Amino acid sequence: MTTEVKKPSHEVLKQAAEIIMQSGVVGVPTETVYGLAANAYDEKACAAIFAAKGRPQDNPLIIHISDLEMLERSARDIPPLAYTLAEHFWSGPLTMIFKKKDIVPYTTSGGLDTVAVRMPDNEDTLNLIKLCGVPLAAPSANLSGSPSPTSADHVFEDMNGRIPLIIDGGECKAGVESTVVCFTEDGGIKILRPGVITAEQLSRFADVVTDKNVFLKPDEREKVISPGVKYKHYSPKAEIIIVEAENENSFASFVNQNKDNGVYAVTFGNESGIELPAIPYGESAEEQAHNLFAVLRQTDELGAKRAYVRCPEKQGVGAAVYNRLLRAAAFRVIKV
Ligand code: AMP
Ligand code: MG
C-alpha cells in the first residue's frame, strides 16, 4: 500500500471519509498527538487499527465525537458532572470514561464494558467526524511502544505502507495525549492518565484523585483500570534515564561524569557547563509537553545509545510529562 500525505481541504476530508466508511484507517491531526482514525462502530475497521499499530488487543481505543448526540449514542448512565466538564473542556484534551452501549463493539473497548470518549479540538478532524456521521476510534498514530507522533512526518515514519492516507495538519499544539478520567461512586473524578488539562483545573468541579498507577510501575499481575498504563510505552531505541537533580549544577555535574560516545543530555536549556551533546526540551512544562515526543524521536535519529533526561516538575502539566517519561525510561530514575 502507498501512503499519501495531504494537507487538509474539503476534497481531502471527503477522500478520508470514504476510506473510513469502507472500514479503512486514516492518520489525522488532533491538538494532542496524531491519531489513527477508523469508524468506532465498525469492528473490522477497529481491528485494522490494532493491526496497523501492532497494539495489544486489550488496550482500549478512545472514540472521538463532534457533538453530544454522538456521546449519547455511544454511552449510557452519563452523569450530570460529565456534561459540566464537556461544557468547560470540550472541544479539548479531556477523555471521559462511561458505560458503553452495545453499538460500541468490544474490539473498540478492548473487551471492557466501558468506553472512553472525547471531542478533539481540531477543526479538520471535527469536520471529518461530521462527514462520517459516526465517532472515530483513534489511538495515537505510532507503532505500539514507540513515542507518539506530533507531526505528519512522525506518522509517516511509523505508518508508511500500513495506511492509505495521512492528513497533515502541522505540529500538534499540546504534544501529549489527553487527560483520561473516570467518575467515582461518590461523585468525584479520578485521573487515570494526566494530560494538559490538570488536576487543579478539574478540581473546580468535583473532588479529584489521581490513580496510583500514574506514577508507579504497575504490578504485572494487577488488573489495572486503564490498560494502557501497564505497557512499556513511548520508548525510543536509546536507553532513557530520568535524572532528578536538585538544581542545574547538580544535573550538569552528574551528566558530565557519564560522558561517553552516543550519550546525550536532554536539558531544560537553561543549564550551563554541560559537556556532552545536549538536546533542550524546554523550561516550562507546556514547552516540555509540546517537545517531549519529538525529542525522544530525535535521540533515535542521532543514533543515541543513552539519554539522561532532566526530570520535569511533577505538578500541573509537568505530571503529564513525567508520566510519559517514566514509561519511556521503563521507570529508570536516578536521584542526584
Ligand atoms: P491512546 O489511544 O494511545 O491515546 O491510549 C488510549 C488510552 O486510554 C488507553 O491506553 C487506556 O489507558 C485509556 N482508555 C481507553 N479506553 C478506556 C476505558 N474504557 N477504560 C479505561 N481506560 C481507557
Ligand atoms: Mg498511544
Side-chain angles (χ1 to χ4, degrees):
M1 178 183 309
T2 51
T3 302
E4 292 185 292
V5 181
K6 293 184 175 176
K7 299 263 187 238
S9 66
H10 186 65
E11 284 311 303
V12 169
L13 294 184
K14 262 174 43 190
Q15 183 194 350
E18 271 163 34
I19 294 169
I20 287 170
M21 295 328 284
Q22 290 167 17
S23 302
V25 179
V26 175
V28 299
T30 81
E31 81 282 28
T32 58
V33 302
Y34 274 73
L36 272 187
N39 177 352
Y41 297 153
D42 177 342
E43 223 169 310
K44 190 175 130 201
C46 290
I49 294 180
F50 284 91
K53 278 183 69 88
R55 181 171 173 117
Q57 303 280 333
D58 66 346
N59 192 356
L61 307 176
I62 294 170
I63 75 170
H64 294 71
I65 60 171
S66 56
D67 57 51
L68 291 179
E69 188 275 326
M70 286 188 188
L71 166 66
E72 287 156 2
R73 235 194 296 167
S74 312
R76 55 191 176 80
D77 302 347
I78 301 166
L81 176 58
Y83 287 99
T84 308
L85 296 183
E87 203 179 304
H88 281 86
F89 297 109
W90 281 358
S91 306
L94 178 70
T95 297
M96 298 186 250
I97 312 279
F98 304 97
K99 288 182 192 150
K100 78 171 190 69
K101 284 191 173 164
D102 290 342
I103 193 170
V104 179
Y106 281 107
T107 314
T108 307
S109 71
L112 301 172
D113 290 318
T114 52
V115 61
V117 185
R118 89 173 188 100
M119 193 184 288
D121 184 20
N122 180 289
E123 212 177 299
D124 296 309
T125 296
L126 285 172
N127 283 333
L128 174 61
I129 300 168
K130 281 180 205 152
L131 280 177
C132 294
V134 291
L136 299 183
S140 52
N142 51 288
L143 288 172
S144 191
S146 51
S148 300
T150 55
S151 71
D153 283 349
H154 296 163
V155 182
F156 190 78
E157 279 168 23
D158 281 20
M159 290 297 145
N160 183 19
R162 291 172 175 259
I163 58 173
L165 176 65
I166 299 166
I167 299 174
D168 179 358
E171 262 185 40
C172 300
K173 250 187 320 199
V176 291
E177 301 83 349
S178 57
T179 305
V180 178
V181 301
C182 65
F183 300 101
T184 60
E185 307 250 295
D186 58 0
I189 299 170
K190 184 182 232 182
I191 296 181
L192 304 178
R193 178 176 74 182
V196 300
I197 292 179
T198 61
E200 292 78 358
Q201 281 174 287
L202 293 167
S203 66
R204 284 179 47 212
F205 304 96
D207 288 338
V208 178
V209 292
T210 298
D211 191 68
K212 68 174 174 31
N213 285 318
V214 162
F215 296 129
L216 275 186
K217 186 174 180 175
D219 183 332
E220 301 291 329
R221 291 155 304 180
E222 187 189 345
K223 193 172 182 307
V224 291
I225 317 180
S226 190
V229 300
K230 72 185 178 189
Y231 298 106
K232 182 174 172 211
H233 223 128
Y234 317 118
S235 314
K237 293 184 189 73
E239 180 186 30
I240 302 295
I241 297 173
I242 301 172
V243 181
E244 221 177 305
E246 293 244 314
N247 55 44
E248 58 187 75
N249 295 333
S250 52
F251 178 76
S253 64
F254 174 80
V255 296
N256 289 345
Q257 285 158 27
N258 288 281
K259 258 191 312 191
D260 198 357
N261 279 338
V263 178
Y264 288 76
V266 176
T267 63
F268 293 173
N270 61 359
E271 301 85 350
S272 49
I274 296 206
E275 292 162 13
L276 54 176
I279 311 173
Y281 79 125
E283 283 185 51
S284 71
E286 286 75 13
E287 286 172 274
Q288 292 163 0
H290 180 81
N291 294 324
L292 177 69
F293 288 130
V295 163
L296 292 177
R297 281 178 183 262
Q298 202 185 337
T299 61
D300 277 348
E301 279 156 32
L302 293 165
K305 68 176 186 201
R306 187 181 309 144
Y308 291 107
V309 182
R310 188 162 169 199
C311 188
E313 302 174 356
K314 298 175 189 172
Q315 307 294 315
V317 174
V321 179
Y322 185 56
N323 166 274
R324 306 312 187 275
L325 256 181
L326 274 174
R327 286 162 179 80
F331 294 88
R332 285 180 293 256
V333 182
I334 295 178
K335 285 198 179 136
V336 298

